[in-house]
Amino acid sequence: GLDRQYGRIHRTARKVHRLGLQNVRLARVDAVQGMEDLLPDGSVTTFYIFFPDPWPKRRHHRRRLICPEFLDLLHRKLTDSGCVHFATDHQDYGKVVAACFAEDPRFAGIEPMQPTDEERTNFEILFADQNKPICRLSVRKACGYEKSATE
């Protein structure tokens, strides 16, 4: 798990410890920098990107995590046929993310992940309590497609 906020990492670490999980690693780092520095290419089977900051103001859209450059990074770090699961409560951001993945032939849409009660994040529980609809998207890395230098 990668997050810049100490509180989120700390809460997650306590939960991991309480559950006795041995296969979890956490780092307090920007997601892009952490992925670049900590994850070897072709090493991740599944990315879970749940409720990233939607940066709703137009002047802040450039700060959004999901963009064509980030898709390059996801593609590089995923194993063959690796998956990305995404969720947001911000419907406009969800549409932008769906379009971004749809325009990239290196990814193919799959049935969106539906988390179990135990898998739901604190943000999802909060938004569900507020009756906010959740936008979900899942994609799989398309095998045999590499982005050319001219794309």
Side-chain angles (χ1 to χ4, degrees):
L2 305 175
D3 202 307
R4 288 190 295 193
Q5 293 191 15
Y6 173 78
R8 287 189 195 137
I9 292 293
H10 184 69
R11 279 190 301 278
T12 303
R14 284 196 330 244
K15 188 173 185 178
V16 165
H17 179 73
R18 185 175 67 248
L19 295 172
L21 301 176
Q22 300 295 315
N23 63 340
V24 178
R25 302 296 177 265
L26 303 170
R28 184 174 171 233
V29 64
D30 173 76
V32 172
Q33 195 64 50
M35 287 171 62
E36 284 284 2
D37 295 345
L38 302 174
L39 302 175
D41 290 354
S43 67
V44 179
T45 303
T46 307
F47 280 105
Y48 300 89
I49 306 171
F50 295 156
F51 306 96
D53 193 328
W55 295 101
K57 294 180 183 175
R58 182 178 297 280
R59 69 178 184 263
H60 294 154
H61 284 185
R62 62 184 167 75
R63 297 180 182 169
R64 287 178 167 176
L65 180 64
I66 307 295
C67 63
E69 295 79 19
F70 187 70
L71 268 54
D72 292 342
L73 182 60
L74 286 172
H75 186 265
R76 227 175 56 240
K77 300 301 176 177
L78 280 170
T79 59
D80 289 342
S81 299
C83 296
V84 178
H85 300 296
F86 174 85
T88 183
D89 68 306
H90 194 275
Q91 299 305 302
D92 289 337
Y93 188 33
K95 290 176 186 174
V96 169
V97 169
C100 193
F101 276 109
E103 293 169 4
D104 192 322
R106 299 173 298 171
F107 297 94
I110 58 173
E111 188 69 27
M113 176 192 173
Q114 296 298 324
T116 64
D117 286 342
E118 296 81 26
E119 293 170 330
R120 292 175 52 190
T121 69
N122 291 342
F123 281 120
E124 183 166 354
I125 293 166
L126 173 71
F127 298 140
D129 289 347
Q130 297 172 357
N131 292 319
K132 283 189 169 186
I134 305 300
C135 177
R136 296 185 187 285
L137 169 84
S138 293
V139 296
R140 181 175 306 283
K141 181 177 176 179
C143 291
Y145 186 89
E146 292 299 324
K147 193 170 183 180
S148 70
T150 59
E151 288 187 82

